[in-house]
Amino acid sequence: MPQTAIKADTSDTPEQLTDGFHLVIDALKLNGINTIYGVPGIPITDLGRMAQAAGIRVLSFRHEQNAGYAAAIAGFLTKKPGVCLTVSAPGFLNGLTALAHATTNCFPMILMSGSSEREIVDLQQGDYEEMDQLAIAKPLCKAAFRVLHAQDIGIGLARAIRAAVSGRPGGVYLDLPAKLFGQVMDAAAGQKSLVKVIDPAPAQIPAADAVKRALDALKSAKRPLIILGKGAAYAQADDAIKSFVEKSGVPFLPMSMAKGLLPDTHPQCAGAARSTVLKDSDVVMLIGARLNWLLSHGKGKAWGDAPKKFIQIDIEPKEMDSNVEIVAPVVGDIGSCVAALLAAMGGNWPAPPADWIKTVTSKRDENVAKMAPRLMNNNSPMDYHGALGVLRTVVKERPDAILVNEGANTLDLARGIIDMYQPRKRIDVGTWGVMGIGMGYAIGAAIETGKPVLAVEGDSAFGFSGMEIETICRYKLPVCVVIFNNDGIYRGTDVNSAGADPATTVFVKGSRYDKMIEAFGGTGVNATSPDELKRAVNAAIDSGKPTLINAVIDPGAGSESGRIGNLNPQSALRKK
Ligand SMILES: Cc1ncc(C[n+]2csc(CCOP(=O)(O)OP(=O)(O)O)c2C)c(N)n1
Ligand SMILES: [Mg+2]
């Protein structure tokens, strides 16, 4: 139903009118966008109210950054742009980090922000929350648009949706000046001005010769490897990807958010033999994974001395040769590319050389066996392995739960230890290794999927979005937050030898984060052993009630920067 209003009647025939508020809402609904994540205030408070009244789910957060992260992950999980709604200048800036994050991670998202009066902003006359938001957003997102007239709202939103989801997805900024909302126009004309976007992310079919070149390269390999990235998870081409990997017989390595596309326990999974496969493989096929820092740029020590050939499947042609030569670029959307590869493989694809499979499998089994006893300890205070050992079992028993994960040691160790069994169930810090996605992701995932969410959070990581536990309680979301509380960043044991202030990486010792959620009516638990932790997490997920578990971790257990300490610059002058 279009949202219309009847103007106070001065003539005999009342004119049906609509306005900017209603057109924005109608345009969203017309395009199947039924959820908005945001923070209210001038000039968008009424927009949120009216959207809620019109049946859109409007989730009000405590900080725009978290609303933005919720929208970003909604985009990843659904392939529809997640929408974040913010107020002018400061609210917009708070949301902007998430928009840049969405762009970097290739998640479709639209940041819709109210803004102040153009005439005053452009003359820099000091308007309320004055800022040239469009100019500031532009370099940080995939596209940025401003709508000045009510009759352009339909086109403006259509452009934003297309820009967000077509090609390589990303973040889009849509600037909505305050004056726009109150602009009135004829309701029928308004309705006609709306655009339902047809085929917003058209299939991009790869060229047949590119597909053949890729398969020839893969077939020629003595030690082939497939790397699955989060682009492959985003594509929702799960069956095709599984069939392709299985038909090829090639060992696969899932990047963090691609875990579960095929189960981590799959016989071809090389996750536990990562360093071996990177070093010793001779042909590497990347599917929706980029050769950025997370893969050591495809060169250097991690990749060993053996010559490598890279095959890359990606929707973005500019991705090819970004770090090293790509001998077989396949450009297209992942679903179409994998379908084409499968079709062109034929019925008798040769299995990879048996000695390579044996090398990978025995390395993997050896590493898994080495880890196993460490995961079974019941130490108190806990170490990471004891705590993660029980969470690994919880996820195994509840494979459809969504795992949110951030921190340093808490992230790196959980990624390695917790096996995933289904696609798009692990969501984490992504390309930037950013702290702060935790509660936004948890809320977005709970809303979009209706599944239980388990958020495994470093105590520092949690602090970036911790206030949103009120939001989780307010909306009664099935979220269980487990805080790995080691009293600080990386470790809780640093000492400042030069003065009375605490060291820069430590927090209040023995903090009880579980008490925080009790302030909002949620369940708080202090867990000091793996047994207690397991009981508490199972009870939380069974209850479906907001729960925060303070998992007491040995403050000395972590290491500097987790697994990426090598990225820290070193001072030659520093006194030891
Ligand atoms: C936005 C942002 N700010 C700062 C950092 C730097 N940083 C990386 S990990 C981390 C916190 C690590 O501590 P914690 O979450 O407690 O995990 P732990 O290693 O202690 O398990 C910080 C602050 C970052 N990655 N992102
Ligand atoms: Mg910590």
Side-chain angles (χ1 to χ4, degrees):
M1 272 287 284
Q3 305 292 308
T4 55
I6 305 202
K7 194 168 74 169
D9 186 13
T10 47
S11 66
D12 288 343
T13 47
E15 191 189 351
Q16 294 278 322
L17 292 178
T18 186
D19 63 11
F21 287 110
H22 292 98
L23 286 166
V24 170
I25 293 163
D26 291 344
L28 288 170
K29 288 178 76 171
L30 183 65
N31 284 288
I33 296 177
N34 300 314
T35 310
I36 295 175
Y37 302 93
V39 175
I42 298 170
I44 49 91
T45 314
D46 273 346
L47 181 66
R49 286 195 186 108
M50 290 164 150
Q52 192 171 48
I56 290 183
R57 191 133 196 227
V58 183
L59 284 297
S60 266
F61 282 67
R62 306 300 292 261
H63 191 290
E64 292 88 351
Q65 183 171 299
N66 307 316
Y69 285 140
I73 207 63
F76 170 74
L77 292 169
T78 64
K79 295 183 91 172
K80 284 199 298 193
V83 172
C84 176
L85 179 62
T86 61
V87 304
S88 357
F92 156 77
L93 285 175
N94 286 344
L96 199 54
T97 306
L99 189 70
H101 168 83
T103 307
T104 297
N105 284 276
C106 317
F107 301 158
M109 168 183 170
I110 299 173
L111 175 64
M112 281 192 341
S113 184
S115 59
S116 302
E117 302 309 335
R118 288 250 45 83
E119 296 83 345
I120 305 179
V121 172
D122 287 349
L123 277 170
Q124 299 169 39
Q125 292 174 313
D127 201 6
Y128 168 71
E129 297 190 345
E130 175 180 298
M131 177 173 279
D132 186 359
Q133 295 170 198
L134 187 72
I136 288 164
K138 236 175 221 170
L140 297 172
C141 58
K142 192 176 165 194
F145 306 103
R146 174 185 291 135
V147 182
L148 290 178
H149 303 294
Q151 65 264 32
D152 293 332
I153 286 173
I155 284 292
L157 192 75
R159 299 213 71 189
I161 292 171
R162 264 195 200 284
V165 298
S166 62
R168 172 176 280 178
V172 176
Y173 176 59
L174 191 60
D175 193 80
L176 305 176
K179 263 191 195 160
L180 177 74
F181 297 109
Q183 281 179 26
V184 169
M185 69 183 286
D186 173 69
Q191 203 54 35
K192 258 179 83 181
S193 74
L194 300 183
V195 177
K196 183 168 166 48
V197 180
I198 312 288
D199 194 13
Q204 289 181 225
I205 315 288
D209 57 347
V211 171
K212 182 174 182 309
R213 195 185 295 122
L215 286 176
D216 287 348
L218 189 64
K219 204 181 257 178
S220 76
K222 303 229 161 12
R223 297 179 303 280
L225 172 67
I226 292 174
I227 299 182
L228 300 170
K230 64 178 169 320
Y234 174 81
Q236 298 194 17
D238 308 335
D239 292 343
I241 290 170
K242 184 163 185 283
S243 302
F244 173 71
V245 172
E246 288 182 340
K247 196 167 174 186
S248 75
V250 172
F252 72 91
L253 188 66
M255 300 301 286
S256 194
M257 281 175 61
K259 277 164 70 80
L261 219 54
L262 288 87
D264 284 330
T265 49
H266 191 282
Q268 285 167 256
C269 184
R274 187 178 194 272
S275 36
T276 300
V277 290
L278 291 190
K279 207 149 30 71
D280 296 341
S281 53
D282 64 348
V283 175
V284 181
M285 176 182 265
L286 303 152
I287 306 183
R290 294 171 285 182
L291 279 175
N292 57 19
W293 71 280
L294 287 158
L295 283 170
S296 309
H297 306 282
K299 56 197 170 192
K301 216 168 110 205
W303 288 92
D305 301 325
K308 301 260 181 232
K309 284 184 182 168
F310 288 100
I311 305 163
Q312 184 156 29
I313 298 167
D314 202 285
I315 199 162
E316 174 56 65
K318 290 202 301 273
E319 189 57 44
M320 307 300 159
D321 309 319
S322 64
N323 285 268
V324 294
E325 181 191 16
I326 301 299
V327 303
V330 184
V331 175
D333 71 278
I334 302 285
S336 301
C337 290
V338 174
L341 287 165
L342 254 178
M345 275 170 109
N348 53 346
W349 184 263
D355 59 339
W356 170 238
I357 300 299
K358 189 156 172 280
T359 305
V360 178
T361 314
S362 45
K363 189 71 204 167
R364 183 195 67 198
D365 294 349
E366 182 191 320
N367 285 342
V368 168
K370 230 188 278 170
M371 177 88 86
R374 301 183 67 189
L375 301 178
M376 286 162 61
N377 84 66
N378 199 33
N379 296 344
S380 175
M382 295 181 267
D383 57 29
Y384 285 92
H385 288 83
L388 288 168
V390 298
L391 296 183
R392 175 186 207 251
T393 307
V394 169
V395 171
K396 184 177 182 183
E397 290 166 353
R398 303 170 187 272
D400 68 336
I402 305 240
L403 178 67
V404 175
N405 190 199
E406 61 175 336
N409 294 278
T410 305
L411 176 90
D412 291 341
L413 291 166
R415 184 178 53 234
I417 291 170
I418 301 180
D419 288 329
M420 304 307 296
Y421 301 88
Q422 294 177 15
R424 295 172 296 284
K425 296 298 187 184
R426 185 189 154 84
I427 49 181
D428 65 28
V429 300
T431 310
W432 270 341
V434 69
M435 298 298 110
I437 50 89
M439 298 305 102
Y441 271 24
I443 294 166
I447 294 288
E448 300 293 337
T449 70
K451 303 283 185 208
V453 175
L454 174 64
V456 178
E457 301 271 312
D459 52 339
S460 165
F462 172 72
F464 288 74
S465 67
M467 192 63 214
E468 302 298 346
I469 56 174
E470 187 276 330
T471 313
I472 291 169
C473 290
R474 184 165 17 108
Y475 292 99
K476 303 183 173 58
L477 299 175
V479 174
C480 172
V481 182
V482 177
I483 297 181
F484 275 40
N485 185 0
N486 64 346
D487 293 346
I489 298 173
Y490 315 139
R491 263 189 309 258
T493 50
D494 263 14
V495 178
N496 169 18
S497 51
D501 282 343
T504 56
T505 54
V506 302
F507 300 145
V508 169
K509 299 211 178 306
S511 296
R512 290 287 301 274
Y513 291 96
D514 51 309
K515 303 264 187 208
M516 287 174 65
I517 199 165
E518 290 175 359
F520 310 112
T523 305
V525 182
N526 189 50
T528 58
S529 71
D531 282 349
E532 276 175 30
L533 177 61
K534 186 173 182 191
R535 268 198 301 279
V537 175
N538 279 324
I541 300 179
D542 286 341
S543 77
K545 299 228 174 80
T547 303
L548 193 157
I549 301 167
N550 184 58
V552 182
I553 305 284
D554 177 356
S559 55
E560 179 89 3
S561 304
R563 289 267 164 88
I564 54 173
N566 59 309
L567 299 181
N568 283 306
Q570 301 294 323
S571 166
L573 305 178
R574 187 167 157 194
K575 293 196 193 99
K576 289 280 172 202

mmCIF file of all heavy atoms in Angstrom, residues 384 407-410 433-435 458-461 464 486 488-490, ligand 1:
data_model
loop_
_atom_site.group_PDB
_atom_site.id
_atom_site.type_symbol
_atom_site.label_atom_id
_atom_site.label_comp_id
_atom_site.label_asym_id
_atom_site.label_seq_id
_atom_site.Cartn_x
_atom_site.Cartn_y
_atom_site.Cartn_z
ATOM 1 N N TYR A 384 43.257 -20.630 26.403
ATOM 2 C CA TYR A 384 42.427 -20.513 25.194
ATOM 3 C C TYR A 384 41.991 -21.892 24.694
ATOM 4 O O TYR A 384 40.858 -22.073 24.245
ATOM 5 C CB TYR A 384 43.189 -19.777 24.080
ATOM 6 C CG TYR A 384 43.290 -18.286 24.325
ATOM 7 C CD1 TYR A 384 44.388 -17.742 24.987
ATOM 8 C CD2 TYR A 384 42.282 -17.427 23.906
ATOM 9 C CE1 TYR A 384 44.477 -16.377 25.209
ATOM 10 C CE2 TYR A 384 42.361 -16.064 24.123
ATOM 11 C CZ TYR A 384 43.467 -15.536 24.776
ATOM 12 O OH TYR A 384 43.544 -14.189 25.003
ATOM 13 N N GLY A 407 38.794 -10.350 18.196
ATOM 14 C CA GLY A 407 39.823 -10.327 19.227
ATOM 15 C C GLY A 407 41.150 -10.565 18.534
ATOM 16 O O GLY A 407 41.232 -10.503 17.300
ATOM 17 N N ALA A 408 42.195 -10.833 19.281
ATOM 18 C CA ALA A 408 43.476 -11.188 18.660
ATOM 19 C C ALA A 408 43.681 -12.689 18.860
ATOM 20 O O ALA A 408 43.343 -13.492 17.988
ATOM 21 C CB ALA A 408 44.609 -10.359 19.250
ATOM 22 N N ASN A 409 44.159 -13.085 20.053
ATOM 23 C CA ASN A 409 44.271 -14.521 20.328
ATOM 24 C C ASN A 409 42.899 -15.191 20.249
ATOM 25 O O ASN A 409 42.761 -16.303 19.735
ATOM 26 C CB ASN A 409 44.868 -14.728 21.723
ATOM 27 C CG ASN A 409 46.300 -14.232 21.790
ATOM 28 O OD1 ASN A 409 47.223 -14.926 21.384
ATOM 29 N ND2 ASN A 409 46.490 -13.019 22.266
ATOM 30 N N THR A 410 41.891 -14.494 20.776
ATOM 31 C CA THR A 410 40.535 -15.044 20.776
ATOM 32 C C THR A 410 40.058 -15.319 19.348
ATOM 33 O O THR A 410 39.321 -16.257 19.095
ATOM 34 C CB THR A 410 39.565 -14.077 21.487
ATOM 35 O OG1 THR A 410 40.077 -13.806 22.792
ATOM 36 C CG2 THR A 410 38.167 -14.646 21.607
ATOM 37 N N GLY A 433 40.737 -6.898 9.748
ATOM 38 C CA GLY A 433 41.028 -7.335 11.113
ATOM 39 C C GLY A 433 40.532 -6.306 12.119
ATOM 40 O O GLY A 433 41.194 -6.012 13.117
ATOM 41 N N VAL A 434 39.346 -5.785 11.874
ATOM 42 C CA VAL A 434 38.842 -4.662 12.667
ATOM 43 C C VAL A 434 38.204 -5.157 13.968
ATOM 44 O O VAL A 434 37.543 -6.189 13.991
ATOM 45 C CB VAL A 434 37.822 -3.845 11.842
ATOM 46 C CG1 VAL A 434 36.544 -4.617 11.592
ATOM 47 C CG2 VAL A 434 37.512 -2.522 12.517
ATOM 48 N N MET A 435 38.433 -4.433 15.040
ATOM 49 C CA MET A 435 37.715 -4.685 16.295
ATOM 50 C C MET A 435 36.448 -3.836 16.287
ATOM 51 O O MET A 435 36.478 -2.681 15.858
ATOM 52 C CB MET A 435 38.550 -4.282 17.517
ATOM 53 C CG MET A 435 39.854 -5.046 17.700
ATOM 54 S SD MET A 435 39.647 -6.816 17.949
ATOM 55 C CE MET A 435 40.291 -7.433 16.402
ATOM 56 N N GLY A 458 37.108 -11.302 22.385
ATOM 57 C CA GLY A 458 38.148 -10.874 23.302
ATOM 58 C C GLY A 458 37.591 -9.783 24.204
ATOM 59 O O GLY A 458 36.644 -9.087 23.817
ATOM 60 N N ASP A 459 38.153 -9.625 25.400
ATOM 61 C CA ASP A 459 37.611 -8.594 26.298
ATOM 62 C C ASP A 459 37.807 -7.192 25.730
ATOM 63 O O ASP A 459 36.948 -6.322 25.872
ATOM 64 C CB ASP A 459 38.163 -8.709 27.732
ATOM 65 C CG ASP A 459 39.681 -8.758 27.797
ATOM 66 O OD1 ASP A 459 40.331 -9.095 26.784
ATOM 67 O OD2 ASP A 459 40.226 -8.486 28.886
ATOM 68 N N SER A 460 38.927 -6.994 25.022
ATOM 69 C CA SER A 460 39.124 -5.699 24.374
ATOM 70 C C SER A 460 38.146 -5.553 23.212
ATOM 71 O O SER A 460 37.444 -4.535 23.098
ATOM 72 C CB SER A 460 40.559 -5.564 23.862
ATOM 73 O OG SER A 460 40.656 -4.494 22.948
ATOM 74 N N ALA A 461 38.066 -6.551 22.375
ATOM 75 C CA ALA A 461 37.187 -6.498 21.202
ATOM 76 C C ALA A 461 35.755 -6.164 21.608
ATOM 77 O O ALA A 461 35.103 -5.299 21.013
ATOM 78 C CB ALA A 461 37.223 -7.826 20.462
ATOM 79 N N PHE A 464 34.471 -2.477 22.195
ATOM 80 C CA PHE A 464 34.169 -1.554 21.097
ATOM 81 C C PHE A 464 32.665 -1.459 20.821
ATOM 82 O O PHE A 464 32.217 -0.495 20.205
ATOM 83 C CB PHE A 464 34.886 -1.991 19.806
ATOM 84 C CG PHE A 464 36.377 -1.777 19.820
ATOM 85 C CD1 PHE A 464 37.220 -2.594 20.553
ATOM 86 C CD2 PHE A 464 36.949 -0.756 19.081
ATOM 87 C CE1 PHE A 464 38.584 -2.407 20.550
ATOM 88 C CE2 PHE A 464 38.327 -0.558 19.074
ATOM 89 C CZ PHE A 464 39.148 -1.386 19.807
ATOM 90 N N ASN A 486 40.932 -12.059 29.517
ATOM 91 C CA ASN A 486 42.310 -12.243 29.996
ATOM 92 C C ASN A 486 42.890 -10.932 30.526
ATOM 93 O O ASN A 486 44.097 -10.715 30.490
ATOM 94 C CB ASN A 486 43.195 -12.850 28.895
ATOM 95 C CG ASN A 486 43.330 -11.905 27.707
ATOM 96 O OD1 ASN A 486 42.585 -10.941 27.583
ATOM 97 N ND2 ASN A 486 44.287 -12.188 26.833
ATOM 98 N N GLY A 488 42.947 -8.016 29.304
ATOM 99 C CA GLY A 488 43.573 -7.025 28.449
ATOM 100 C C GLY A 488 43.707 -7.394 26.994
ATOM 101 O O GLY A 488 43.161 -8.396 26.512
ATOM 102 N N ILE A 489 44.440 -6.536 26.310
ATOM 103 C CA ILE A 489 44.734 -6.687 24.886
ATOM 104 C C ILE A 489 45.921 -7.631 24.756
ATOM 105 O O ILE A 489 47.004 -7.328 25.280
ATOM 106 C CB ILE A 489 45.064 -5.309 24.276
ATOM 107 C CG1 ILE A 489 43.846 -4.385 24.398
ATOM 108 C CG2 ILE A 489 45.534 -5.439 22.845
ATOM 109 C CD1 ILE A 489 44.085 -2.948 23.978
ATOM 110 N N TYR A 490 45.717 -8.755 24.147
ATOM 111 C CA TYR A 490 46.715 -9.826 23.953
ATOM 112 C C TYR A 490 47.019 -10.594 25.241
ATOM 113 O O TYR A 490 47.148 -11.808 25.244
ATOM 114 C CB TYR A 490 48.052 -9.328 23.363
ATOM 115 C CG TYR A 490 47.925 -8.368 22.208
ATOM 116 C CD1 TYR A 490 48.759 -7.247 22.110
ATOM 117 C CD2 TYR A 490 46.976 -8.567 21.212
ATOM 118 C CE1 TYR A 490 48.654 -6.367 21.044
ATOM 119 C CE2 TYR A 490 46.864 -7.675 20.142
ATOM 120 C CZ TYR A 490 47.702 -6.579 20.064
ATOM 121 O OH TYR A 490 47.586 -5.700 19.019
HETATM 122 C C1 LIG B 1 39.241 -0.654 15.324
HETATM 123 C C2 LIG B 1 40.476 -1.304 15.817
HETATM 124 N N1 LIG B 1 41.206 -0.724 16.796
HETATM 125 C C3 LIG B 1 42.313 -1.314 17.280
HETATM 126 C C4 LIG B 1 42.745 -2.514 16.763
HETATM 127 C C5 LIG B 1 44.021 -3.153 17.302
HETATM 128 N N2 LIG B 1 43.699 -4.411 17.965
HETATM 129 C C6 LIG B 1 43.897 -5.598 17.371
HETATM 130 S S1 LIG B 1 43.411 -6.852 18.300
HETATM 131 C C7 LIG B 1 42.935 -5.835 19.563
HETATM 132 C C8 LIG B 1 42.350 -6.372 20.830
HETATM 133 C C9 LIG B 1 42.905 -7.708 21.233
HETATM 134 O O1 LIG B 1 42.553 -8.000 22.550
HETATM 135 P P1 LIG B 1 41.328 -8.921 22.905
HETATM 136 O O2 LIG B 1 40.173 -8.580 22.081
HETATM 137 O O3 LIG B 1 41.132 -8.866 24.371
HETATM 138 O O4 LIG B 1 41.843 -10.347 22.423
HETATM 139 P P2 LIG B 1 42.954 -11.265 23.131
HETATM 140 O O5 LIG B 1 44.159 -11.310 22.243
HETATM 141 O O6 LIG B 1 43.277 -10.668 24.466
HETATM 142 O O7 LIG B 1 42.316 -12.593 23.244
HETATM 143 C C10 LIG B 1 43.177 -4.517 19.242
HETATM 144 C C11 LIG B 1 42.880 -3.367 20.121
HETATM 145 C C12 LIG B 1 41.976 -3.080 15.716
HETATM 146 N N3 LIG B 1 42.294 -4.230 15.143
HETATM 147 N N4 LIG B 1 40.846 -2.473 15.286
#
